Amino acid sequence: MKIILKIIFIFIPLIIQSQTTIKGMAMIKNSDGKTKGLPGATIYWLDTEVGTTTNDQGWFTISYKPEYKKLIFSYVGYRTDTVIVNEPREVHHFMQEEGKLEEVLVKSKKQKTAVSYLQSANIININEGELLKAACCNLSESFETNPSIDVNFSDALTGTKQIKLLGLTSPYILIAQENIPSVRGASQAYGLTFTPGTWIESIQITKGSGSVVNGYESIAGQINTELKKPLNDDKFFLNAYGSLNGRLELNTHYSQKVSKKWNTSLFVHGNLRDAEIDKNDDNFLDIPLAKQINIMNRWQYTDTKNGFVSFINFRYLKDDKQTGEVDFDPNTHRLTTLKYGSEINTERFDVSTKFGYVFPETPYQSVGFQIAYSRHDQDSYFGLNQYNINHKSLYSNAIFNSILGSTLHKYKTGLSFTHDGYDEFVNTANFGRTENSVGGFFEYSYDNLENFSLIAGLRLDFHNLLGTFLTPRLHIRYVPWEKGVLRASIGRGKRSANIFAENQQLFGSSRVMSILNTNGKVYGLQPEIAWNYGFSFLQGFNLFDKKADFTIDFYSTLFQDQVVVDVDESPQQVLFYNLEGNSHANNLQIQLNYELFKNLDLRLAYKYYDVKTDYKKGTLRKPLQSKHRFFANIGYETTPNFKGGHWRFDYTFNWLGEQRLPFTGTNPTQYQLADYVSSYSLMNAQIAKVFSKNFEIYVGGENFTNFKQENPILSSEDPFGANFDSTIVYAPILGSMYYAGLRFTIN
Amino acid sequence: MNKRIITLLIIMLTFTLTSEAQKTSKTSKVTFEVDGVCVMCKERIEKAAVLTKGVKFATWNIDTNELYCIYNNKKTSLNKIKQAIANAGHDTKEIKASDKAYNSIADCCKYRTLEKH
């Protein structure tokens, strides 16, 4: 008996040992960021015949032995991944969808922000998961967790956020919506706030000159926003947001299948801020009173069998802002010296259509056609300065894609036509003008499918004011060793500066505006021409079995011609003149992304900016631009349960080095500022509780250390005096800000 | 200005159309079966095909195992393409991969023993 028991006791552990299994789940993220199990995926141990498939919920069990180390996850349409298993544990793994269309992402865990290893250009892809980290609410606020884009404050009146890439402001970036240039001309100052964040599916940031297909205007880079597509979008989506500073936002989306080939979506956005806030007691609103209604209707036609796809979009926007002194009443004080106030009222209508056809017999050939019309109307005044602009814009582009010999050599060629009609009034001066351009482009791309690819583009444009000119651009990618990618780019950009629309924050000061040149065709000024070149090195590696990647980017922009905005000559003036001498923007960025622990991602970046221009006074650093910046972001997500429920935590830290302030030395002593303002840091954090793939709530804080600029408005007590200036803003005006919101989806 | 644009357009169009017309006579479009089981196989098969001189385009369907291939029949032949695919480790009906080539492909791609995944 004893012997039998002994035998049983000896054998039980052995039996248990030999029967050890581990459990786990193959998961995917839906387009809306929700998690669900992936049924039918193949799971097996590398170099063995031990394998299984996942059940209806995505769960699997597989036998385990200590010598098994590498678990393979595989499923049609998804990238095959290897997961290291050093001990018996539950294995949850996200499967990465295979690249859709041209977009290729090579990451086993779906990275929210990723630089591709395969594209020739240095393109950073931001998907919806990353956008969820942003506190609120529109495109201008979607870059706060991305170190490549710096978000600045433009002025103390309108509270508008301004973005910079490679040390250059948004006019030097081609900002497009589904490859149609969108934030340009009259919409330059506030255009980014006209795209609600919930409409966005993904954002692609190209550092360096970018493609020639979308035009000649981009200098520092391109930002393209893809909106949610009616075909894939959820049936119903609701997002509500409220912040303690009185901002309310509501987003609803409805999507519907109309017929076999037609799908439609209706996006309705409204926001309102009606609380009068003056925390710094300067008698000026810290942030404007605002209301916006923004409606978009999209139609998508898809006929995959015959190779047709088409989009038609209609959008209407009305945005009203009021700012200035707290007790300013537009009805009685408008354009008087009784009270200082400002109203910016914008109405915009857009219609755009895209059409694509792929030849079914020869799928490497396709044609595309885009046409977009917009009418942008802004009526505004800042104290006694009146500024009205009406911009009618037509953009059209026809593209033909094919190959030269084989799909290793591809090309895109086509023609574009643009028309911009401006009616622009600064007080009583009329700056109306018409710009027309016709251009042809050819872009060749080569990929040896191993370690080398390039894109070489050239376009020729005929422009009624800018003349006839060539725009060459080149991007090269080389893979010297595994997971290492070397990129280089060079290109030229040219544009006419819309000096008032782009710098309209300057109306919020007593500065007198003067244009010093008269021989140019746009405001008497020459167009801006710049060359941009850059190098980038990306190395992916594994550190303690966790994925990491390291990037060094260096980009330089050299201006051949520039419209210099000079606020340093005198605190009572702003001068616009053609560059005489040199102007450059150099940027070095070093970035590390690391999965510190399972589900805990760390992103660190250091940025160096050397932005200098030859002003009338001499060579000066660009005002309100830090030389050094440091960025850190930590994101943590708990492992989703079977309903997809989980927690999400996110923390962002920004450190800004000292900034040069515009010259104020000739002002009376009380209105003089230091030459430099010292460094400071800002912190944001967000916590989200996802209950299921249909419902989540989030709370967060922006700038929760409550750092703010004490006196953002010079001479705020005498707004019609000679020293009034609301444009010298180097830090947040509003202190800490807390918010909460919810997202509800019906698939 | 308009004249220049129209001329440019016409030149581009004629260039495209004439080159298309010349192409069709010597262009062959074929579909044949290639063994494989996963997405890695797809990349390998398509790469082997398109890197063959004279092949313009190749796409492999994981569900049907069919390779759709467009090639210049003056520069290459169906056999040459199949041999290139076999050299990369994948079988066609006519040409089988050598053991050495087959063994060189990734474990998840061992189509002779694994199910489609």
Side-chain angles (χ1 to χ4, degrees):
Chain A
M1 187 64 193
K2 261 189 177 178
I3 290 166
I4 294 170
L5 272 178
K6 265 187 184 171
I7 291 168
I8 290 171
F9 273 108
I10 289 165
F11 273 90
I12 281 175
L14 279 181
I15 294 162
I16 290 170
Q17 177 81 45
S18 64
Q19 285 187 340
T20 300
T21 58
I22 60 169
K23 220 169 80 152
M25 194 183 196
M27 299 171 300
I28 51 167
K29 276 211 169 141
N30 283 348
S31 56
D32 54 8
K34 309 283 160 48
T35 302
K36 67 171 194 180
L38 179 65
T42 308
I43 316 291
Y44 66 96
W45 293 103
L46 186 70
D47 299 327
T48 71
E49 291 300 313
V50 183
T52 181
T53 54
T54 54
N55 69 9
D56 292 347
Q57 275 84 44
W59 287 98
F60 67 90
T61 45
I62 189 165
S63 58
Y64 173 80
K65 282 185 192 169
E67 60 264 35
Y68 298 163
K69 295 282 186 212
K70 291 182 173 171
L71 194 60
I72 311 291
F73 284 70
S74 167
Y75 189 72
V76 176
Y78 289 79
R79 208 155 264 278
T80 303
D81 293 327
T82 309
V83 176
I84 309 287
V85 182
N86 287 321
E87 59 194 7
R89 62 174 170 99
E90 219 171 278
V91 182
H92 291 258
H93 182 69
F94 273 104
M95 303 285 287
Q96 166 71 59
E97 221 171 307
E98 278 296 318
K100 295 170 199 158
L101 299 170
E102 283 176 49
E103 193 183 318
V104 188
L105 295 167
V106 191
K107 289 292 163 93
S108 53
K109 185 175 135 191
K110 191 158 188 170
Q111 289 234 341
K112 290 170 178 151
T113 304
V115 177
S116 163
Y117 286 85
L118 298 182
Q119 281 159 325
S120 301
N122 190 1
I123 300 175
I124 302 147
N125 192 65
I126 300 175
N127 75 17
E128 228 191 321
E130 184 74 37
L131 294 169
L132 294 179
K133 292 177 169 187
C136 180
C137 299
N138 57 53
L139 187 55
S140 78
E141 292 152 306
S142 298
F143 304 103
E144 291 185 355
T145 57
N146 188 290
S148 292
I149 303 272
D150 293 325
V151 182
N152 292 55
F153 315 91
S154 76
D155 61 278
L157 281 179
T158 64
T160 311
K161 284 179 181 169
Q162 194 177 44
I163 62 162
K164 285 185 183 176
L165 176 66
L166 311 181
L168 295 172
T169 50
S170 61
Y172 297 106
I173 311 167
L174 180 89
I175 302 172
Q177 187 168 292
E178 307 200 318
N179 290 313
I180 295 171
S182 60
V183 178
R184 56 187 293 283
S187 69
Q188 196 58 258
Y190 312 115
L192 286 172
T193 66
F194 297 159
T195 302
T198 58
W199 295 8
I200 304 168
E201 185 183 77
S202 65
I203 303 173
Q204 294 80 39
I205 303 167
T206 309
K207 278 185 165 188
S209 52
S211 165
V212 294
V213 173
N214 300 326
Y216 48 80
E217 284 181 327
S218 75
I219 287 173
Q222 302 191 354
I223 296 173
N224 181 49
T225 308
E226 288 293 320
L227 302 184
K228 288 182 177 163
K229 312 280 181 281
L231 182 66
N232 312 325
D233 203 13
D234 296 313
K235 268 206 187 79
F236 176 77
F237 172 82
L238 174 85
N239 164 235
Y241 165 100
S243 80
L244 290 183
N245 67 18
R247 181 172 174 177
L248 294 170
E249 304 241 351
L250 191 69
N251 285 293
T252 53
H253 307 176
Y254 313 85
S255 286
Q256 205 176 350
K257 194 177 178 68
V258 179
S259 72
K260 218 171 145 190
K261 289 170 184 164
W262 284 98
N263 287 73
T264 184
S265 288
L266 180 69
F267 299 151
V268 182
H269 166 88
N271 74 56
L272 175 72
R273 177 165 32 223
D274 56 1
E276 294 179 348
I277 298 170
D278 178 22
K279 284 189 185 163
N280 55 16
D281 291 323
D282 62 0
N283 200 33
F284 272 76
L285 292 173
D286 291 347
I287 194 150
L289 305 173
K291 50 180 193 271
Q292 185 185 109
I293 179 94
N294 199 345
I295 302 165
M296 180 178 256
N297 181 210
R298 308 198 74 192
W299 293 81
Q300 180 174 9
Y301 176 85
T302 346
D303 180 355
T304 344
K305 215 174 108 191
N306 296 311
F308 286 104
V309 64
S310 183
F311 288 92
I312 304 165
N313 306 314
F314 304 92
R315 198 272 291 268
Y316 173 77
L317 166 108
K318 189 154 170 41
D319 182 85
D320 297 325
K321 293 186 186 70
Q322 183 201 318
T323 184
E325 290 191 76
V326 176
D327 43 10
F328 174 79
D329 177 3
N331 296 324
T332 50
H333 304 136
R334 182 178 196 270
L335 296 170
T336 69
T337 52
L338 298 170
K339 294 278 173 200
Y340 187 96
S342 166
E343 278 187 283
I344 303 156
N345 297 329
T346 309
E347 199 176 15
R348 186 181 166 99
F349 175 72
D350 288 85
V351 55
S352 65
T353 173
K354 278 171 88 168
F355 166 82
Y357 172 69
V358 180
F359 294 85
E361 288 262 295
T362 50
Y364 53 80
Q365 282 184 326
S366 61
V367 288
F369 184 66
Q370 304 166 316
I371 184 160
Y373 173 80
S374 64
R375 202 197 67 219
H376 188 104
D377 240 313
Q378 180 188 324
D379 289 336
S380 51
Y381 59 90
F382 305 79
L384 298 176
N385 285 329
Q386 273 182 284
Y387 180 63
N388 296 328
I389 183 166
N390 176 293
H391 178 188
K392 294 187 186 78
S393 176
L394 179 75
Y395 172 88
S396 58
N397 200 8
I399 310 165
F400 176 69
N401 290 282
S402 188
I403 58 169
L404 293 166
S406 83
T407 48
L408 303 182
H409 309 267
K410 291 181 184 156
Y411 69 88
K412 285 180 184 178
T413 186
L415 290 169
S416 52
F417 171 74
T418 62
H419 164 83
D420 291 291
Y422 293 94
D423 285 321
E424 189 176 27
F425 289 90
V426 178
N427 295 318
T428 51
N430 184 354
F431 291 95
R433 66 183 186 278
T434 303
E435 297 190 13
N436 289 315
S437 83
V438 181
F441 58 86
F442 186 88
E443 188 177 78
Y444 164 76
S445 59
Y446 171 73
D447 188 343
N448 74 353
L449 302 178
E450 286 283 343
N451 58 5
F452 182 79
S453 61
L454 70 80
I455 300 175
L458 185 70
R459 62 178 296 140
L460 173 66
D461 289 276
F462 307 95
H463 189 290
N464 65 329
L465 300 180
L466 305 187
T468 301
F469 56 99
L470 283 171
T471 307
R473 286 172 188 177
L474 177 70
H475 294 259
I476 296 173
R477 166 189 153 272
Y478 174 64
V479 181
W481 48 74
E482 201 184 340
K483 284 192 161 181
V485 183
L486 209 55
R487 287 187 177 90
S489 73
I490 184 162
R492 185 186 196 259
K494 183 169 181 173
R495 61 185 296 277
S496 55
N498 287 290
I499 52 170
F500 299 113
E502 287 159 20
N503 299 292
Q504 55 184 280
Q505 78 277 2
L506 296 169
F507 288 120
S509 70
S510 58
R511 288 174 190 269
V512 175
M513 293 185 174
S514 322
I515 302 166
L516 303 189
N517 302 77
T518 49
N519 56 343
K521 291 206 171 147
V522 183
Y523 305 108
L525 296 159
Q526 298 294 342
E528 300 191 291
I529 299 173
W531 283 87
N532 176 292
Y533 68 89
F535 305 94
S536 164
F537 177 67
L538 163 71
Q539 180 68 57
F541 58 95
N542 275 6
L543 190 64
F544 310 116
D545 268 341
K546 299 288 182 203
K547 280 185 177 150
D549 60 72
F550 175 77
T551 320
I552 300 180
D553 284 350
F554 174 79
Y555 284 88
S556 179
T557 310
L558 295 171
F559 284 92
Q560 199 175 312
D561 285 302
Q562 189 179 23
V563 172
V564 178
V565 183
D566 189 341
V567 289
D568 281 289
E569 188 64 19
S570 147
Q572 277 72 47
Q573 280 191 310
V574 49
L575 306 179
F576 299 102
Y577 50 85
N578 293 323
L579 175 71
E580 281 173 31
N582 298 314
S583 177
H584 68 255
N586 295 334
N587 166 235
L588 175 76
Q589 180 172 335
I590 300 172
Q591 190 177 341
L592 176 76
N593 297 322
Y594 183 49
E595 190 186 353
L596 210 55
F597 301 106
K598 188 173 148 59
N599 298 336
L600 182 78
D601 288 306
L602 176 70
R603 190 181 299 157
L604 300 173
Y606 163 76
K607 294 171 282 178
Y608 170 81
Y609 293 99
D610 164 32
V611 187
K612 286 202 186 94
T613 302
D614 287 349
Y615 293 95
K616 289 254 174 261
K617 263 189 172 168
T619 309
L620 289 173
R621 249 170 76 181
K622 192 154 196 211
L624 307 173
Q625 168 72 52
S626 300
K627 206 169 182 176
H628 307 278
R629 283 182 76 130
F630 180 75
F631 169 95
N633 174 267
I634 297 174
Y636 178 73
E637 277 185 38
T638 59
T639 305
N641 64 18
F642 67 99
K643 281 197 315 206
H646 63 283
W647 289 85
R648 226 171 30 226
F649 302 88
D650 198 78
Y651 166 84
T652 307
F653 172 86
N654 264 299
W655 179 86
L656 290 84
E658 65 167 24
Q659 302 177 45
R660 187 179 77 80
L661 297 183
F663 173 73
T664 49
T666 53
N667 275 350
T669 339
Q670 72 266 36
Y671 303 133
Q672 285 183 18
L673 297 170
D675 291 345
Y676 287 88
V677 62
S678 53
S679 63
Y680 68 91
S681 56
L682 296 174
M683 292 176 210
N684 300 334
Q686 192 187 81
I687 300 171
K689 167 72 180 147
V690 181
F691 292 94
S692 71
K693 58 183 181 176
N694 300 110
F695 186 62
E696 64 182 81
I697 55 172
Y698 56 98
V699 294
E702 270 202 320
N703 185 14
F704 57 74
T705 49
N706 202 22
F707 184 83
K708 54 189 169 187
Q709 181 172 344
E710 284 309 325
N711 297 303
I713 301 178
L714 269 188
S715 175
S716 58
E717 72 291 344
D718 182 16
F720 296 98
N723 303 107
F724 176 73
D725 198 341
S726 70
T727 66
I728 306 179
V729 174
Y730 53 84
I733 297 147
L734 206 57
S736 56
M737 193 274 283
Y738 296 93
Y739 60 89
L742 63 87
R743 297 184 186 96
F744 174 70
T745 312
I746 298 171
N747 300 98
Chain B
M1 189 180 88
N2 279 329
K3 265 188 190 168
R4 267 191 288 183
I5 297 149
I6 291 163
T7 326
L8 190 80
L9 240 174
I10 291 169
I11 292 169
M12 274 172 46
L13 260 176
T14 15
F15 172 76
T16 320
L17 291 178
T18 46
S19 58
E20 286 308 306
Q22 282 167 1
K23 274 177 200 164
T24 41
S25 63
K26 52 187 183 185
T27 300
S28 299
K29 293 170 186 167
V30 286
T31 301
F32 57 90
E33 224 170 89
V34 180
D35 289 345
V37 283
C38 67
V39 178
M40 255 182 101
C41 299
K42 179 176 164 69
E43 278 179 21
R44 193 182 301 108
I45 294 165
E46 289 173 359
K47 191 171 157 182
V50 84
L51 285 176
T52 311
K53 197 171 180 268
V55 174
K56 290 163 173 282
F57 174 83
T59 181
W60 183 74
N61 185 320
I62 192 164
D63 296 318
T64 61
N65 274 11
E66 277 176 351
L67 182 78
Y68 175 51
C69 189
I70 303 173
Y71 64 95
N72 181 333
N73 51 36
K74 298 241 163 66
K75 285 188 184 162
T76 191
S77 66
L78 206 48
N79 262 348
K80 277 188 190 159
I81 300 168
K82 287 179 178 171
Q83 188 58 53
I85 291 168
N87 292 348
H90 288 271
D91 294 345
T92 53
K93 273 202 186 91
E94 295 78 15
I95 304 176
K96 304 290 172 202
S98 68
D99 285 349
K100 197 181 160 214
Y102 180 74
N103 288 333
S104 72
I105 66 174
D107 292 281
C108 62
C109 303
K110 299 287 190 214
Y111 54 89
R112 290 177 189 165
T113 49
L114 288 173
E115 288 286 306
K116 195 174 291 170
H117 57 263

